[in-house]
Amino acid sequence: MSGDALSQDPAELRRRIDTTKAHPARVYDVFLGGKDNYPVDRAAAAAALAANPRGYLDVRHNRDFMRRAVTTLAKEDGIRQFLDIGTGLPTAENVHQIAQRILPDSRVVYVDNDPVVLAHARALLTSGPEGRTDYIDADLKNPAQILEQAAKTLDFDQPVALCLVAILHFVEDEEAYPILRELVDALPSGSRLVLSHLTEDLNPENIRAVQRTYTERGFTFVLRSKAEVERFFTEAGVELAQPGVVPAHHWRPDDAAPVPEQPGAAYLEGLDDIEKVRYHDISDVTDADINVYGASGRKG
C-alpha cells in the first residue's frame, strides 16, 4: 500500500468528515444508489433531481462511459495501468474490476480526498492475485503529490491511462488546464486520457437549473463547451480518438449498460424519487436527457 492514507485512525477520519456540507463524491453516490452519504448529500441530489427529473441519466451514463472506455483501452489497446483521479465511493464496477477481468495483471491507482471515500477505500483494494490496486488520499489540485505517490505502484516508463471522469467541472479554468498538462506531461508516450465533463451545449436549460442547485451549496461547478473540452486534449498534447468529444451515450455504445435488478412494486412505491433512481433502466435515454461529454485520446 502506498502512502499512509489507509493507516489513518478511524476517529481521525470521522473528524475530517463534514456532514453539514454536501460533497460531490457523496452526491454522486446517492445517484448511483449508494449508502455512504449523509442527509445533506441526499438533499443536494434531490434538489438536482427536482431541477432536472431525468438528470440521473447524466450520472449513470457517465459511469457507463467509464466502463466502455476502460474496456476499450484494456481489450483493444492493451493498457495495463490506470490512474483514476476523483474516484468517488466504491460502486460496481470499479476501474480495476473492469481492467483486471480483461488483463489480470493490470495496476490501478485510485485518488480522492473525501474522508468518506477514504474510509471505504479498502473495498477498492481487492485486486486479483496477478494485478495490484492502491489508493491515494490527495487532491486533484496537487498533481505533484499524486504523481509522486502513484509512482510507487505504476511504472511511468510504460503507458498509463489517466482517468478524469466527471471531476474537472469542479475546477476553475485557471487551475484545470495547468493541472491536466502537469499530469499528462509526466506520462510516457502511448499513454491515454479518458475524460468526461458536464456541458450546457446540449440541453442548457436543464443543466443550468442543476448548476444553480449545486452553486447554492458552495460547489464550484463549471460547464464547458465542446471546444473547451477539446482544449484539455490539445493543450496537453493528446490526440483525440474516434469519435472525438461526443455526448457520453454516443461514445462507442455497446448496448450493455447494466440493468438494475428490480424489487417488488410495493417496495418501489414506498421509495421517494431519489431512492427510485437506482432501479431505473437507462436504456431509454434520448439526446434531450444528456449534458455530459465523453472522450479519450492518446499521448504521442
Side-chain angles (χ1 to χ4, degrees):
M1 259 174 236
S2 67
D4 298 323
L6 296 180
S7 63
Q8 290 191 37
D9 177 53
E12 175 58 29
L13 286 178
R14 285 194 294 273
R15 282 193 290 273
R16 283 178 54 189
I17 296 170
D18 183 356
T19 61
T20 67
K21 182 179 178 182
H23 189 285
R26 302 195 306 258
V27 175
Y28 194 72
D29 182 63
V30 175
F31 277 109
L32 292 174
K35 302 296 184 186
D36 302 312
N37 48 69
Y38 295 91
V40 67
D41 305 306
R42 292 189 285 276
L49 192 67
N52 179 18
R54 300 271 286 172
Y56 65 89
L57 289 163
D58 279 330
V59 177
R60 297 270 301 281
H61 275 281
N62 173 74
R63 189 77 189 179
D64 200 54
F65 157 74
M66 185 274 288
R67 176 188 64 80
R68 299 192 308 277
V70 172
T71 298
T72 298
L73 293 184
K75 185 178 290 185
E76 298 183 11
D77 301 331
I79 300 296
R80 286 173 157 79
Q81 300 192 106
F82 295 83
L83 178 57
D84 181 16
I85 303 178
T87 299
L89 285 144
T91 186
E93 284 187 302
N94 300 294
V95 171
H96 76 278
Q97 294 166 313
I98 300 165
Q100 290 179 357
R101 185 166 55 244
I102 300 164
L103 298 170
D105 60 344
S106 296
R107 295 184 170 206
V108 179
V109 171
Y110 295 104
V111 183
D112 211 298
N113 70 331
D114 177 30
V116 175
V117 176
L118 179 58
H120 291 84
R122 287 186 177 86
L124 289 172
L125 299 177
T126 52
S127 174
E130 297 174 56
R132 187 173 172 188
T133 63
D134 212 341
Y135 182 90
I136 299 171
D137 178 20
D139 194 316
L140 172 62
K141 295 182 180 181
N142 191 348
Q145 180 193 3
I146 291 172
L147 292 166
E148 179 186 359
Q149 292 292 321
K152 297 177 181 179
T153 300
L154 304 178
D155 178 0
F156 280 90
D157 291 326
Q158 299 296 322
V160 175
L162 171 64
C163 301
L164 293 165
V165 177
I167 184 69
L168 285 168
H169 43 247
F170 297 116
V171 185
E172 298 285 4
D173 283 356
E174 61 270 19
E175 291 184 292
Y177 291 100
I179 285 169
L180 182 57
R181 285 196 302 272
E182 184 173 345
L183 289 167
V184 172
D185 283 350
L187 305 181
S189 176
S191 291
R192 304 307 202 271
L193 173 62
V194 174
L195 189 154
S196 66
H197 201 295
L198 286 169
T199 183
E200 61 181 356
D201 287 356
L202 306 173
N203 299 290
E205 186 175 340
N206 288 351
I207 195 63
R208 286 174 187 157
V210 173
Q211 182 185 39
R212 284 193 295 273
T213 71
Y214 284 133
T215 54
E216 286 167 1
R217 287 165 170 79
F219 290 0
T220 298
F221 205 82
V222 183
L223 301 172
R224 293 189 171 96
S225 68
K226 181 177 182 179
E228 289 168 326
V229 174
E230 289 172 341
R231 180 184 161 197
F232 282 116
F233 289 82
T234 55
E235 285 196 3
V238 177
E239 182 181 357
L240 272 166
Q242 290 298 323
V245 175
V246 295
H249 64 308
H250 288 312
W251 195 93
R252 304 191 187 187
D254 62 6
D255 299 318
V259 179
E261 186 176 337
Q262 296 300 303
Y267 176 80
L268 274 176
E269 190 65 30
L271 301 179
D272 61 28
D273 288 345
I274 195 65
E275 291 171 326
K276 290 177 182 176
V277 161
R278 66 180 298 181
Y279 298 109
H280 293 334
D281 182 354
I282 63 173
S283 62
D284 64 345
V285 65
T286 71
D287 289 351
D289 294 319
I290 295 297
N291 302 282
V292 59
Y293 283 130
S296 73
R298 184 183 188 277
K299 180 178 178 180

